[in-house]
């Protein structure tokens, strides 16, 4: 802001020659007629200053997060020695709730993210601008009450022209729900029709003293009957659920939320931010009325996900990766809805699966680890902000899943394997199935490696702990690149010009650059 004001002053000095700065840096006008010009320029400088201040705040948040993410040497060395450890979650029986003020980054990293175990973190959303999108309960005037709900009129005014994807929860479409693309304002119109038919089933939290003490099992009692009505087509109505609304990408200056430091090592969205012309990211808003839900699924590429409730309550039904075999039929399809009657002839092992139930309330964020299956039901009207992300802790799982998906695609069209177009056909099918194909995944790894190697070359890795953490990230990346480049029938980046090139495409390849950097770091750390 000061810089912008200074530029405005210089403009006046050069253009008018009747403005000067005193020794106390006060602006003095010799001609009263220049007052309006000065006020206008200073108003412009203030507006520019606000933008500069906002940009600076974003930079400061990132720098602060990097400092907060520093790990001890013991933690990183332990992680380096267990790079290929399986983390199937078989020992998890319940999901803890931890207050953010009591959770250090190192504890989060070691006990939850690297360990691949779910957790609910409270106190995350206190300063978020999106809390202003909530209509408080009329009885207690709180936005975390059962009777609080998203302010649909405000959302329509602010974002009504946004393109969104809407799922209709009563209509099965293969392994998902039938979807339509529409404007947010049209979705909100459908929501209001549903709300009018549903009526009000919630009570004010201040009048229902037991609401916060109810267990997930208690919530399930009434939920199953209501959920059955939803899946049967509640009163003949469509039940719309707005998913995959890319609000953050469409409105980068909305100040809807600040990325918590726990979730800030995000290679996946950093990649999309680096290539805005590709027009994608994995940051979403989910918005839906009571009873809307998401079928049982595992997140794309076995990525991590976090979901923060701005308003409302959600029931999460989670299964660790160790339970996946009990939830599939002979074709490998997952159960679509674990709350409705599951056909035991089709899913003969379903009763062996051990679910974990947890209720997420307003102001809480849930971390869903890599490979964990989950089904989610909105117990009341809900608005949440969600990210999927990949980093050094789960890049192995993501790469393994990409290879599995690629092999499944190849097997499904093996009769075409001698066709000269076979690799490109596989790529198109893989992209439709996984949201990324091998070529783009290799490009993602190369871009991430470029960023990590730049930090080594710039000297920003300034301590023994920083070097160890960088060694962990580079080692994970090299393992992923090796695995991808060993896969057959993969047209890698060098064979195509459809994606932007990274600097490693010209200097011997990303794998060679990573190998040299890892050797240099190991020498420096005397770990040879």
């Amino acid at each position: 802001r000061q810089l912008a004001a200074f530029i405005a002053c210089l403009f006046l000095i050069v253009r008018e020659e009747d403005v000067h700065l005193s020794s106390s840096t006060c602006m003095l006008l010799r001609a009263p007629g220049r007052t309006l010009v000065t006020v206008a320029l200073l108003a412009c400088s203030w507006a520019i200053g606000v933008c500069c201040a906002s940009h600076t705040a974003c930079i400061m948040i990132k720098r602060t997060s990097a400092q907060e993410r520093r790990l001890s040497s013991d933690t990183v060395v332990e992680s380096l020695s267990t790079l290929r450890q399986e983390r199937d979650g078989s020992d998890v029986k319940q999901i803890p709730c931890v207050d953010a003020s009591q959770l250090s980054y190192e504890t989060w990293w070691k006990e939850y993210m690297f360990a691949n175990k779910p957790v609910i973190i409270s106190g995350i959303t206190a300063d978020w601008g999106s809390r202003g999108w909530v209509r408080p309960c009329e009885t207690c005037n709180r936005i975390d009450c059962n009777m609080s709900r998203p302010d649909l009129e405000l959302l329509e005014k602010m974002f009504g022209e946004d393109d969104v994807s809407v799922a209709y929860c009563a209509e099965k479409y293969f392994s998902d729900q039938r979807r339509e693309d529409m404007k947010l304002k049209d979705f909100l119109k459908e929501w209001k029709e549903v709300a009018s038919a549903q009526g009000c089933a919630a009570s004010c939290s201040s009048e229902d003293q037991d609401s916060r003490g109810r267990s997930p099992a208690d919530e399930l009692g009434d939920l199953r009957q209501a959920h059955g009505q939803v899946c049967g087509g509640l009163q003949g109505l469509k039940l719309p659920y707005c998913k995959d609304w890319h609000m953050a990408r469409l409105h980068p200056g909305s100040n809807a939320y600040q990325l918590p430091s726990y979730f800030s090592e995000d290679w996946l969205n950093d990649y999309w931010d680096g290539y805005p012309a590709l027009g994608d990211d994995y940051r979403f808003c989910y918005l839906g009325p009571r009873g809307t839900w998401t079928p049982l699924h595992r997140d794309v590429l076995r990525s991590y996900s976090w979901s923060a409730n701005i308003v409302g309550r959600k029931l999460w039904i989670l299964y660790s990766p160790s339970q996946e075999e009990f939830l599939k039929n002979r074709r490998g399809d997952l159960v679509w809805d674990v709350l409705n009657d599951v056909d035991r002839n089709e899913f003969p092992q379903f009763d062996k699966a051990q679910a974990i139930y947890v209720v997420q309330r307003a102001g809480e964020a849930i971390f869903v680890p890599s490979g964990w299956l989950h089904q989610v039901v909105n117990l009341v009207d809900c608005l949440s902000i969600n990210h999927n992300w990949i980093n050094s802790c789960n890049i192995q799982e993501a790469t393994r899943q990409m290879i599995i998906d690629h092999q499944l695609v190849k097997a499904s069209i093996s009769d075409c394997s001698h066709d000269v177009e076979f690799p490109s056909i596989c790529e198109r099918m893989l992209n439709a199935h996984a949201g990324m194909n091998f070529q783009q995944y290799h490009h993602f790894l190369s871009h991430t490696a470029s960023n990590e190697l730049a930090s080594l070359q710039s000297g920003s890795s300034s301590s023994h702990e920083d070097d160890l953490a960088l060694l962990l990230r580079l080692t994970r990346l090299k393992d992923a690149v090796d695995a991808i480049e060993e896969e057959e029938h993969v047209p890698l980046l060098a064979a195509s010009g459809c994606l932007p090139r990274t600097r490693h495409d010209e200097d011997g390849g990303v794998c060679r650059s990573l190998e040299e950097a890892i050797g240099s770091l190991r020498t420096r750390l005397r770990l040879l």
Side-chain angles (χ1 to χ4, degrees):
R1 193 177 302 173
Q2 290 173 333
L3 178 62
F6 181 67
I7 292 171
C9 293
L10 287 179
F11 179 83
L12 285 173
I13 292 169
V14 172
R15 299 293 297 171
E16 305 298 338
E17 297 184 355
D18 59 357
V19 178
H20 67 88
L21 297 178
S22 70
S23 58
S24 61
T25 68
C26 294
M27 290 182 294
L28 300 176
L29 292 176
R30 293 179 179 172
R34 307 299 186 204
T35 301
L36 290 177
V37 176
T38 304
V39 170
L41 282 170
L42 288 177
C44 291
S45 74
W46 178 84
I48 296 170
V50 169
C51 295
C52 293
S54 300
H55 181 66
T56 303
C58 292
I59 295 173
M60 288 304 295
I61 288 172
K62 290 182 179 178
R63 287 175 180 166
T64 301
S65 297
Q67 293 169 0
E68 291 174 352
R69 292 201 306 262
R70 179 166 291 172
L71 302 170
S72 69
S73 298
D74 290 344
T75 295
V76 180
V77 170
E78 180 183 349
S79 304
L80 279 165
S81 65
T82 57
L83 279 177
R84 293 169 180 81
Q85 179 186 22
E86 290 295 332
R87 299 166 294 170
D88 65 3
S90 56
D91 58 334
V92 178
K93 305 304 178 186
Q94 60 182 8
I95 299 176
C97 182
V98 184
D99 190 274
S101 64
Q102 305 298 316
L103 182 63
S104 68
Y105 183 82
E106 180 148 353
T107 300
W108 145 259
W109 196 94
K110 187 174 182 179
E111 295 187 10
Y112 301 110
M113 186 164 68
F114 188 79
N116 210 46
K117 295 181 178 180
V119 64
I120 285 182
I121 307 175
S122 61
I124 286 286
T125 67
D127 300 325
W128 290 10
S130 51
R131 285 166 60 91
W133 305 348
V134 179
R135 179 166 291 180
C137 170
E138 295 179 358
T139 302
C140 65
N141 202 37
R142 287 168 31 206
I143 68 170
D144 60 348
C145 174
N146 293 335
M147 293 289 286
S148 303
R149 60 184 183 86
D151 190 330
L152 304 189
E153 289 73 20
L154 178 62
L155 291 171
E156 181 175 355
K157 181 178 179 181
M158 294 175 65
F159 308 114
E161 295 300 324
D162 285 5
D163 294 314
V164 298
S165 175
V166 175
Y168 291 97
C169 297
E171 303 176 49
K172 184 176 181 180
Y173 185 77
F174 294 98
S175 61
D176 196 6
Q177 296 155 330
R178 184 178 70 82
R179 296 201 183 206
E180 288 185 15
D181 294 332
M182 63 181 69
K183 298 293 184 183
L184 182 67
K185 62 182 181 183
D186 297 322
F187 158 72
L188 294 175
K189 181 180 178 181
E190 292 190 4
W191 180 339
K192 292 173 185 177
E193 293 173 357
V194 170
S196 176
Q198 280 184 329
C200 181
S203 60
C204 175
S205 299
S206 62
E207 297 173 353
D208 179 9
Q209 297 299 325
D210 295 328
S211 63
R212 292 197 63 83
R214 299 188 75 204
S215 70
D218 294 332
E219 302 278 2
L220 269 177
D222 297 332
L223 177 66
R224 286 188 182 274
Q225 181 179 358
H227 187 68
Q229 290 179 321
V230 168
C231 294
L234 182 65
Q235 299 183 16
L237 289 172
K238 296 184 294 186
L239 199 65
Y241 191 7
C242 174
K243 302 180 180 181
D244 302 349
W245 170 24
H246 294 265
M247 186 278 302
R249 176 162 55 86
L250 295 172
H251 305 277
S254 67
N255 192 34
Y257 61 101
Q258 292 82 42
L259 185 62
S261 61
Y262 309 118
F263 315 135
S264 57
E265 188 190 344
D266 181 350
W267 290 350
L268 187 59
N269 286 300
D270 284 348
Y271 168 71
W272 293 114
D273 290 345
Y275 302 98
L278 297 178
D280 207 352
D281 67 348
Y282 283 86
R283 306 179 180 102
F284 312 106
C285 273
Y286 275 45
L287 181 64
R290 172 171 56 92
T292 48
W293 62 290
T294 299
L296 184 69
H297 68 286
R298 181 182 58 230
D299 284 325
V300 60
L301 289 177
R302 289 184 181 262
S303 58
Y304 292 142
S305 68
W306 63 265
S307 175
N309 256 11
I310 307 304
V311 63
R313 290 182 299 126
K314 294 177 183 283
L315 174 70
W316 290 76
I317 306 161
L318 297 103
Y319 296 89
S320 71
S322 65
Q323 305 298 302
E324 183 170 341
E325 61 179 304
F326 306 131
L327 298 163
K328 289 183 173 180
N329 61 18
R330 292 176 179 85
R331 297 186 304 275
D333 301 325
L334 285 171
V335 173
W336 188 63
D337 179 10
V338 300
L339 289 177
N340 259 335
D341 290 334
V342 176
D343 185 347
R344 271 32 176 209
N345 292 323
E346 184 177 3
F347 298 95
Q349 299 192 82
F350 175 74
D351 292 326
K352 297 179 182 178
Q354 297 180 356
I356 301 175
Y357 299 91
V358 66
V359 174
Q360 177 194 19
R361 296 177 170 83
E364 296 176 342
I366 187 170
F367 166 62
V368 180
S370 179
W372 279 65
L373 297 161
H374 48 287
Q375 180 170 325
V376 190
V377 182
N378 291 329
L379 301 174
V380 293
D381 296 352
C382 285
L383 166 64
S384 65
I385 293 173
N386 305 37
H387 282 203
N388 290 94
W389 89 103
I390 295 171
N391 60 26
S392 59
C393 290
N394 68 337
I395 191 69
Q396 274 185 307
E397 287 84 354
T399 303
R400 187 183 304 124
Q401 189 61 46
M402 175 61 76
I403 291 171
I404 290 171
D405 289 343
H406 184 244
Q407 292 171 347
L408 289 173
V409 165
K410 288 193 297 182
S412 70
I413 56 170
S414 57
D415 55 329
C416 303
S417 59
H418 299 296
D419 193 308
V420 68
E421 295 294 323
F422 182 69
S424 59
I425 294 171
C426 288
E427 285 289 84
R428 290 196 296 272
M429 291 181 64
L430 185 60
N431 189 71
H433 174 71
M436 229 186 226
N437 56 29
F438 252 93
Q439 186 186 79
Q440 187 157 41
Y441 191 77
H442 185 270
H443 189 251
F444 154 65
L445 294 175
S446 182
H447 169 83
T448 304
S450 295
N451 288 343
E452 294 293 346
L453 291 170
S455 68
L456 176 63
Q457 294 161 1
S458 69
S460 60
S461 178
S462 58
S463 69
H464 183 76
E465 290 81 5
D466 290 342
D467 281 349
L468 277 170
L470 181 57
L471 177 60
L472 172 64
R473 298 195 298 272
L474 294 180
T475 304
R476 283 275 180 142
L477 276 169
K478 184 178 182 301
D479 286 348
V481 173
D482 285 343
I484 291 296
E485 294 188 349
E486 288 172 3
E487 185 71 358
E488 294 180 350
H489 298 299
V490 179
L492 292 181
L493 187 63
S496 172
C498 65
L499 289 172
R501 299 178 72 80
T502 68
R503 59 174 169 269
H504 297 293
D505 299 321
E506 287 83 21
D507 59 8
V510 62
C511 196
R512 177 180 173 183
S513 299
L514 286 168
E515 188 172 343
E516 292 173 352
I518 289 169
S520 173
L521 271 174
R522 284 189 176 274
T523 301
R524 194 155 86 186
L525 291 164
R526 293 186 291 182
L527 291 177
L528 283 173

